[in-house]
Amino acid sequence: MEYAGRSDLFQGLSIWRDEKYRNLQGTYPVVYLSFAKVKEHSFVGTRKKICLGIKRLYNKYDFLLGSGCLNGEEKKLYLKMADDMEDHLASEALNMLSEYLMRYYGKKVIILLDEYDTPMQEAYTGGYWDELVLFMRNLFNATFKTNPFLEKALMAGITRVSKESVFSDLNNIEVVATTSEKYESSFGFTQEEVWEALEEYGLFDQRGRVKSWYDGFAFGRVQDIYNPWSIINYLDKRIFTTYWANTSSNSLVGCLIREGSAQTKVAMEDLLSGRKLCAQIDEQIVFSQLKSNENAIWSLLLATGYLRVEKYGLNQKERMEYELALTNREVAIMFEKMIDEWFKEFTSDYNTFVKALMQRDIDAMNTYINRISAVTFSYFDTGKNPSAESEPERFYHGFVLGLMVDLEDRYKITSNRESGFGRYDVVLEPRRVSDDAVIIEFKVCSPAKKTDIGRGCGGCIRPN
């Protein structure tokens, strides 16, 4: 209740016009906790970071120790809060703090947990998912289900984690997802609000570029929602760049695309080229399906704001199908930078290959493709099915994504598409009349079968 009587925080805002909310302001004890910075590489580190956040909450309310609301045993428990506290104490910590605050203020507590799913995404990519799920399930159960001192709770995150994991013990949750109509205009700035802000800052003539860069989000029936962080930063700096994309952790998204199937990479090529993707979407993300169910990847990208819904409807099998596109220019640039980052370790070889390709130097291309593939096969694979033995296409499609970053201004690049009586691996269609078209076919020769390159290719045509 530290903000009780602080009407100055809300005067002039729309919410302050409603008497119901004016009467509620500052009357409930509020516990706020964020997992936004919990991005550790191990379960031990993640657990310590979460416990440290809880310890800081206890420090904030340490006036309770001298308030007379706690008995001797409770004071001892209060002082045991630490980043290395035992599991049973960590899981009950927020429940106990709720009880202490209710005694002091005489009212039940409101708990706000921001970015609850950030540590889960890191756990999935870091390989400690099962350990974290067990820890979080116990924490959430004690905090949100078996907590008689709780008035209301709000958990905010970018993914809706399935009930079969951390929420299996919770049956009292109301989920508000991107397609929900409830609060549909409350998750960002509407176009009307953005236009008003641009006019106030003398930037109304830039509204077209602002829309291209930062529009594209949709909630429920409301279209043209803008990310507040991007808009606020643009108004302040007046530079078109990636603001929101730079603040979020893209490790999970990058992992799924980099290590995904050839079909996933082809779909990303389409999206980066401005084309649409049709997919069946499930708003409830089951993390265990992300590497086996391609639609689960697109569901995640939609939930996290990297994709937007162009239209949707029932397909021929009476299943709901969505037409998806990259949300806006800011997101597209984020993906381009991500792909560029994958190639940073071998930029010199990569640039030499592209130069040889443009100069039609086949011998140099062979030299450099061998060198590049030697250091990138394992990088673009999952590690479970080595590319050199099973799916070399994974590397080459990753390589095509890299080509796209540097050559997209000169070429329209596609790969693994049907053409005529077969499929081509890579095609570079020139955007300028002065450039030649390029078709690349990759062949794998088996040493065990003593297949030479001539037989592998079935004859090859060299450029004139």
Side-chain angles (χ1 to χ4, degrees):
M1 296 187 184
E2 58 188 302
Y3 295 106
R6 292 293 308 276
S7 61
D8 58 298
L9 296 172
F10 304 97
Q11 285 180 350
L13 302 178
S14 298
I15 193 171
W16 201 244
R17 301 182 192 132
D18 193 314
E19 184 179 359
K20 177 178 67 174
Y21 295 116
R22 290 201 304 271
N23 293 335
L24 280 175
Q25 193 269 324
T27 62
Y28 282 93
V30 176
V31 174
Y32 171 75
L33 183 64
S34 174
F35 289 164
K37 296 181 180 180
V38 184
K39 301 178 181 180
E40 309 306 304
H41 300 297
S42 67
F43 170 67
V44 173
T46 297
R47 187 188 180 285
K48 279 182 172 289
K49 202 73 171 285
I50 293 173
C51 291
L52 181 60
I54 294 174
K55 167 63 176 174
R56 285 174 173 167
L57 276 177
Y58 271 71
N59 289 343
K60 178 180 179 181
Y61 298 109
D62 61 2
F63 59 83
L64 292 169
L65 290 169
S67 66
C69 295
L70 279 64
N71 61 36
E73 289 301 315
E74 289 170 337
K75 288 181 180 180
K76 290 179 181 179
L77 287 176
Y78 201 107
L79 295 173
K80 285 184 178 180
M81 294 297 156
D83 60 1
D84 58 350
M85 69 179 104
E86 296 182 61
D87 279 351
H88 72 276
L89 194 57
S91 63
E92 292 288 335
L94 294 177
N95 185 302
M96 293 189 300
L97 183 60
S98 301
E99 180 179 6
Y100 303 156
L101 289 171
M102 192 195 75
R103 289 182 198 168
Y104 184 84
Y105 288 109
K107 298 193 74 170
K108 291 185 177 181
V109 174
I110 294 175
I111 297 179
L112 307 177
L113 175 56
D114 192 25
E115 297 203 32
Y116 75 88
D117 55 342
T118 294
M120 296 175 203
Q121 294 184 50
E122 299 299 322
Y124 180 81
T125 58
Y128 54 93
W129 172 261
D130 291 338
E131 292 174 286
L132 183 67
V133 164
L134 180 61
F135 177 77
M136 297 289 274
R137 183 187 294 137
N138 292 334
L139 174 63
F140 286 173
N141 180 286
T143 303
F144 301 115
K145 183 178 182 179
T146 58
N147 187 351
F149 319 106
L150 179 67
E151 176 68 21
K152 284 182 180 294
L154 176 65
M155 303 174 68
I158 59 175
T159 53
R160 177 182 171 184
V161 181
S162 64
K163 282 182 68 66
E164 46 87 16
S165 55
V166 291
F167 296 134
S168 59
D169 291 337
L170 303 185
N171 53 15
N172 56 342
I173 296 178
E174 179 184 359
V175 178
V176 180
T178 55
T179 57
S180 304
E181 295 181 6
K182 194 171 187 178
Y183 310 125
E184 59 188 0
S185 61
S186 303
F187 292 104
F189 292 158
T190 64
Q191 184 159 287
E192 180 182 0
E193 292 169 334
V194 172
W195 276 193
E196 290 177 359
L198 291 175
E199 192 162 20
E200 182 178 341
Y201 278 74
L203 296 168
F204 193 67
D205 61 327
Q206 297 295 319
R207 61 190 180 281
R209 293 188 68 191
V210 169
K211 184 177 181 66
S212 172
W213 271 81
Y214 306 119
D215 185 19
F217 298 94
F219 296 92
R221 300 162 300 175
V222 178
Q223 303 291 319
D224 297 317
I225 296 293
Y226 291 72
N227 186 293
W229 180 254
S230 298
I231 294 299
I232 290 172
N233 275 276
Y234 169 71
L235 293 174
D236 179 40
K237 300 176 178 61
R238 307 193 177 203
I239 298 173
F240 289 100
T241 188
T242 54
Y243 296 111
W244 166 67
N246 287 341
T247 66
S248 59
S249 174
N250 302 315
S251 56
L252 175 58
V253 173
C255 173
L256 293 173
I257 295 172
R258 188 182 66 238
E259 299 179 353
S261 67
Q263 289 74 23
T264 298
K265 293 183 173 69
V266 167
M268 278 305 303
E269 291 171 35
D270 284 340
L271 291 168
L272 285 167
S273 298
R275 291 187 287 271
K276 306 298 188 296
L277 167 69
C278 289
Q280 295 176 31
I281 298 300
D282 184 356
E283 287 187 282
Q284 181 167 280
I285 306 298
V286 181
F287 274 71
S288 60
Q289 296 179 359
L290 285 175
K291 287 188 177 180
S292 59
N293 182 355
E294 191 170 309
N295 283 333
I297 298 176
W298 310 127
S299 298
L300 176 67
L301 292 181
L302 177 62
T304 50
Y306 296 119
L307 295 177
R308 70 171 186 267
V309 175
E310 293 283 291
K311 60 182 180 181
Y312 60 91
L314 296 176
N315 60 18
Q316 293 180 345
K317 295 182 179 180
E318 298 297 314
R319 296 177 180 176
M320 190 64 70
E321 192 168 74
Y322 294 78
E323 186 177 275
L324 307 171
L326 290 182
T327 304
N328 49 39
R329 181 58 180 153
E330 182 179 27
V331 170
I333 289 179
M334 184 275 292
F335 278 117
E336 290 171 3
K337 288 181 178 179
M338 179 189 297
I339 294 164
D340 210 19
E341 188 72 19
W342 296 345
F343 287 84
K344 180 185 290 185
E345 296 180 15
F346 40 90
T347 300
S348 177
D349 281 344
Y350 166 66
N351 289 338
T352 306
F353 174 83
V354 172
K355 182 178 179 181
L357 173 65
M358 295 295 97
Q359 295 178 351
R360 307 182 186 183
D361 189 343
I362 304 298
D363 292 333
M365 288 172 61
N366 285 333
T367 299
Y368 291 111
I369 196 68
N370 288 333
R371 188 179 302 173
I372 294 170
S373 61
V375 297
T376 57
F377 268 130
S378 61
Y379 186 73
F380 284 98
D381 209 342
T382 62
K384 298 177 182 178
N385 300 299
S387 293
E389 299 176 4
S390 59
E391 276 196 75
E393 295 89 356
R394 290 191 177 192
F395 158 69
Y396 294 118
H397 284 286
F399 183 74
V400 169
L401 287 176
L403 280 176
M404 182 174 295
V405 173
D406 280 355
L407 296 178
E408 65 173 348
D409 60 329
R410 292 179 59 184
Y411 291 92
K412 174 185 175 183
I413 305 173
T414 54
S415 68
N416 201 31
R417 310 302 169 87
E418 291 187 8
S419 180
F421 296 103
R423 284 177 175 268
Y424 56 81
D425 282 332
V426 181
V427 164
L428 283 70
E429 300 178 51
R431 301 183 187 276
R432 303 185 305 204
V433 178
S434 58
D435 286 331
D436 294 326
V438 179
I439 301 176
I440 303 176
E441 183 72 20
F442 297 110
K443 290 295 181 183
V444 178
C445 296
S446 171
K449 297 180 180 180
K450 298 182 179 179
T451 304
D452 62 41
I453 191 68
R455 291 182 180 180
C457 292
C460 78
I461 300 173
R462 298 174 65 96
N464 295 324

